[in-house]
Amino acid sequence: MDKERVRNYWTKKAIEVGYDPRSSMKDHEFRESEIEIIKGYLQKEDEVLDVGCGNGFSTNEYSNHVKKIIGIDYIKEFIDIAKKLYQGKNNLSFEEGDVLNIKFKEDSFDKVISERCIINLTTWEDQKTAIKNIYNVLKPNGIFIMAEVSVQGMRELDKMRSQFSIEPMSPHWHNLYLDEEKLNEFLKPLFKTEKINRFTTYALLSKIFHSLYVKPDSPQFGAKFNKIARDITIKYPNLVLETSDGDKKVGFRIRHRSNTSKETR
C-alpha cells in the first residue's frame, strides 16, 4: 500500500463526509456496540489518548467517562471538524498528530484507545512502531485498548459465510489486517493480555444471519436487523463461535503494559 494514497483517501473522506459519525466506519451499529463495551473499561480518574480519532465521535463519547481525553489524527481536516463539533468540554481536546510519531511524554496516559488505527498503517514495521509508541506513552500498568481486525478473524468469518453460500467479505484496500501469530509474539515483552473481546455475537447476527435473511439482496448497514444485533451485542458480546482449531476468532484486546523497565522491554 502507498502511504500517500491512504492519506489522500482519508483526507477526501473528511472533506466529503467528515461531519457524519459514519465517516470513518459505515457499520455504525457495530461501532456503537464497540463504544458501549469500551466504556466499561474506562474510569473517572483516567487520562486517555485516542489515536486515529477521526472526527472525534467516539472520543466525545468516552469523554463522559474519564478525567481527560485527547484525540489525535494525522488528517488535519478531521481534527478541524472534531474541534468544531465538540468545543466547550474542558476534559476533551483534539490535536493533529501521527501514531508513528507521538509527541507526548512517556508515561502520560492511563489508557490508550486504537479503533482500527493500526490496520490503516501500510506495513508491519509501521504497525510495530505505532504499538511501541503507544507503549511508551502509557503509564506503568497502563492499558492499551486495541480494537483492530486480524487476518485470522476475517478468514474464519469468511469460512463460515462460505458454508451458507455467502460471498467473502471484501477487504478494504487501505487496511493491512494484523496477523495474530506475529502480533502476539511481538506483544509478549510489552503487554499482558487481560481480555479478548471478539464481538462474535455481532459477527454472527450481522454478517451471517442478516446476510441470509435478505439474500439475494445485499444487507444494509443501517437496517433494523443490525440495530437489533447492536443491542444484543452490548449485553452479550461473545456468543461463542468455535473455529476448526477450537479457537475463538473475530475484536478487541485489553492489554496491560508490562511493568518492566524501559531498558529491558
Side-chain angles (χ1 to χ4, degrees), residues 170-226:
S170 298
H172 298 294
W173 68 265
H174 53 86
N175 287 163
L176 179 62
Y177 296 157
L178 293 161
D179 183 305
E180 291 190 35
E181 292 182 5
K182 290 198 300 185
L183 175 66
N184 289 336
E185 191 63 30
F186 174 72
L187 290 173
K188 277 181 183 178
L190 303 176
F191 295 96
K192 180 181 71 174
T193 300
E194 177 181 307
K195 172 80 174 178
I196 298 178
N197 186 332
R198 297 193 180 274
F199 291 95
T200 54
T201 303
Y202 195 87
L204 180 64
L205 296 176
S206 175
K207 308 307 180 189
I208 307 294
F209 289 3
H210 188 190
S211 295
L212 288 172
Y213 182 72
V214 301
K215 196 176 179 181
D217 295 329
S218 298
Q220 301 300 309
F221 288 121
K224 185 177 180 180
F225 202 109
N226 278 4

Side-chain angles (χ1 to χ4, degrees), residues 233-250:
T233 299
I234 290 170
K235 294 184 180 296
Y236 303 100
N238 290 300
L239 295 175
V240 176
L241 295 177
E242 288 202 358
T243 68
S244 56
D245 61 2
D247 197 4
K248 287 83 177 174
K249 303 291 184 189
V250 185

Side-chain angles (χ1 to χ4, degrees), residues 104-121:
F104 300 103
K105 295 180 180 179
E106 294 188 4
D107 305 342
S108 292
F109 298 98
D110 300 290
K111 310 230 166 86
V112 176
I113 301 170
S114 171
E115 294 176 87
R116 289 160 296 281
C117 175
I118 306 298
I119 62 169
N120 275 279
L121 301 175

